[in-house]
């Protein structure tokens, strides 16, 4: 078993404690978490693809961004991003608005309905994760929490680990809270 006891614990490593073995265990856990999140998202009030959810989360994290920024944030082509926005707008989840200073640029905003759908998905995901965590022993939850904090700290400081360049709001998998004040398009222009 991996020792997540912290820096003060100098227990000898077992055969399953090397970074490669732990990485394999984490990969299995990530696959399980991805499946749990996918099922929770599909149980939401409106079924959306993972690409659609990522697009909504990206716009939520950066209200008013343009289509090019969305395409870059999702690592997809501009025509694909445009069709994705067409579908989200047709579903009443996304609004396109002309940029106030640049006629050729379009800004993207979540609608109130889009905010509610994102909140519903985030809530269902949090409930599913909480149910899995509740099945763990308290000491296991504490060890997991310490281990995750250590992982994030190491990821952000290790050279070549890729931790510095990714915006947690755009590419992250954290929960999304619908907040009309922060995410809604300003109406009074």
């Amino acid at each position: 078993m991996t020792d997540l006891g912290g820096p003060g614990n100098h227990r000898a490593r077992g055969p399953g404690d090397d970074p490669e073995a732990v990485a394999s265990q984490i990969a299995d856990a990530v696959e399980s978490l991805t499946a749990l999140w996918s099922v929770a998202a599909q149980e939401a009030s409106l079924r959306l693809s993972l690409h659609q959810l990522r697009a909504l989360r990206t716009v939520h994290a950066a209200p008013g961004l343009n289509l090019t920024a969305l395409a870059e944030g999702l690592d997809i082509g501009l025509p694909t991003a445009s069709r994705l926005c067409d579908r989200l707008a047709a579903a009443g989840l996304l609004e396109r608005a002309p940029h106030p200073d640049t006629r050729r640029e379009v800004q993207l905003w979540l609608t109130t309905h889009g905010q509610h759908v994102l909140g519903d998905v985030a809530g269902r995901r949090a409930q599913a994760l909480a149910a899995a965590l509740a099945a763990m022993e308290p000491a296991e939850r504490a060890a997991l929490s310490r281990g995750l904090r250590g992982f994030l700290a190491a990821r952000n400081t290790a050279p070549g680990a890729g931790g510095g360049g990714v915006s947690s709001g755009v590419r992250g998998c954290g929960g999304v809270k619908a907040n009309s004040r922060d995410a809604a398009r300003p109406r009074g222009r």
Side-chain angles (χ1 to χ4, degrees):
M1 178 175 184
T2 302
D3 177 20
L4 299 176
N9 192 337
H10 300 289
R11 193 176 76 171
R13 285 187 176 195
D17 290 338
D18 65 279
E20 290 80 19
V22 174
S24 178
Q25 293 169 355
I26 290 172
D28 290 344
V30 167
E31 284 185 31
S32 178
L33 179 62
T34 301
L36 181 137
W37 277 35
S38 180
V39 168
Q42 295 306 311
E43 294 172 351
S45 58
L46 181 64
R47 292 180 67 155
L48 298 172
S49 72
L50 293 178
H51 286 297
Q52 290 170 324
L53 282 171
R54 285 186 63 217
L56 291 177
R57 284 197 325 259
T58 301
V59 173
H60 180 269
L65 84 163
N66 65 22
L67 194 59
T68 301
L70 177 66
E72 289 173 0
L74 298 177
D75 197 26
I76 60 176
L78 199 54
T80 303
S82 182
R83 288 189 301 273
L84 180 60
C85 288
D86 288 343
R87 289 190 298 274
L88 292 171
L93 303 171
L94 186 74
E95 180 180 0
R96 290 177 167 173
H99 191 282
D101 300 326
T102 312
R103 288 184 183 190
R104 294 179 53 173
E105 190 173 328
V106 174
Q107 293 181 311
L108 303 172
W109 304 91
L110 288 184
T111 64
T112 302
H113 182 52
Q115 293 172 39
H116 289 298
V117 168
L118 260 186
D120 182 32
V121 170
R124 288 174 187 277
R125 286 178 166 176
Q127 287 174 345
L129 185 56
L133 291 170
M136 295 172 66
E137 294 294 326
E140 292 173 324
R141 281 194 303 273
L144 177 61
S145 180
R146 280 191 309 274
L148 289 173
R149 283 193 309 270
F151 170 79
L152 291 174
R155 179 181 154 260
N156 291 330
T157 59
V166 179
S167 167
S168 62
V170 174
R171 298 228 184 201
C173 295
V176 177
K177 293 181 182 173
N179 184 335
S180 59
R181 190 186 77 222
D182 294 336
R185 176 177 168 229
R187 299 289 179 197
R189 284 197 257 165

